[in-house]
Every structure is written in C-alpha cells, then in structure tokens.
Amino acid sequence: MTLVRFISADGDRIDEVTAPSGARLLDVAQNIGQPLEGTCEGQMACSTCHVIVDAADFAKLPKASEEEEDMLDLASHVTRHSRLACQIWLDPALETLTVRIPAGVHNMQGR
Ligand code: FES
C-alpha cells in the first residue's frame, strides 16, 4: 500500500488516499475526484494527466520512457519532476507518493 498525497495547484488543499500496489496513479487520482482528465486513458496521446512529483519521490520512480518524455513536451507548466500519471504504477517500495496538480488544469466539471 502507498499513501498518496495530491496537492492542489494553489497549494491550499492536500487530499490523501491509501492505494494498493499495482494501482495506476491516474486511476487513484480520478477515483477521489482529482482534476486530472486523462483524456486518452493512458494511450499516451493527450498529456492531460500531467503531475509534478515531489523531488524525493521522483527519484524513486522508474525513468520515464522516451514516449512519455515526448508527451510531456506538449504539457504546460512542466518541471524537472513532471510525469504522466497514466504511466506511474504504485510499487511496494513507494511508501508515500506526493504529487502536485499543475496550475491551469480543470476536470470535466470545470473545477
Ligand atoms: S492519459 Fe493521456 S497521456 Fe496520460
């Protein structure tokens, strides 16, 4: 199990959820109403699942594929610790995972 923390774009809200190993971060986020569209559902064709990972947690993740890096080039507000949530699977080695929702994203309800 991994304790996942989602920090809102303005930093004002932190939502926490415990999720099982093997769960995909995009699914975990959507299950608790985080504003990540993930329009292409992991087909690497949208970059609307962009998250900014805490630096220490980023170092524990497997390296992004070239395809993921290419999709991140299309996202806005990209940082050195940006990843696509559809390409992150929770691993037993990750006790916690903290990600920030980039500024300017809106979910289907426009929140
Ligand atoms: S859901 Fe489209 S690239 Fe992740």
Side-chain angles (χ1 to χ4, degrees):
M1 299 292 268
T2 299
L3 174 65
V4 185
R5 289 189 194 96
F6 294 96
I7 303 173
S8 63
D10 59 12
D12 282 354
R13 209 173 88 213
I14 299 175
D15 293 320
E16 293 186 339
V17 63
T18 302
S21 294
R24 189 173 64 159
L25 183 61
L26 177 61
D27 300 323
V28 174
Q30 291 180 335
N31 285 344
I32 64 164
Q34 294 298 306
L36 287 181
E37 283 191 31
T39 311
C40 76
E41 297 183 1
Q43 299 303 306
M44 299 270 256
C46 74
S47 79
T48 59
C49 62
H50 169 214
V51 291
I52 299 166
V53 181
D54 170 82
D57 294 337
F58 184 88
K60 296 179 197 162
L61 294 174
K63 198 171 167 341
S65 66
E66 266 184 49
E67 197 179 4
E68 182 179 352
E69 295 283 1
D70 288 347
M71 282 311 301
L72 280 167
D73 286 344
L74 304 176
S76 38
H77 306 289
V78 172
T79 76
R80 289 175 47 222
H81 300 130
S82 287
R83 291 294 304 263
L84 297 177
C86 69
Q87 300 301 309
I88 295 175
W89 282 266
L90 301 182
D91 181 282
L94 277 176
E95 289 179 20
T96 63
L97 175 61
T98 300
V99 299
R100 179 182 292 266
I101 307 296
V105 292
H106 300 287
N107 67 9
M108 301 78 159
Q109 287 82 41
R111 285 182 286 155

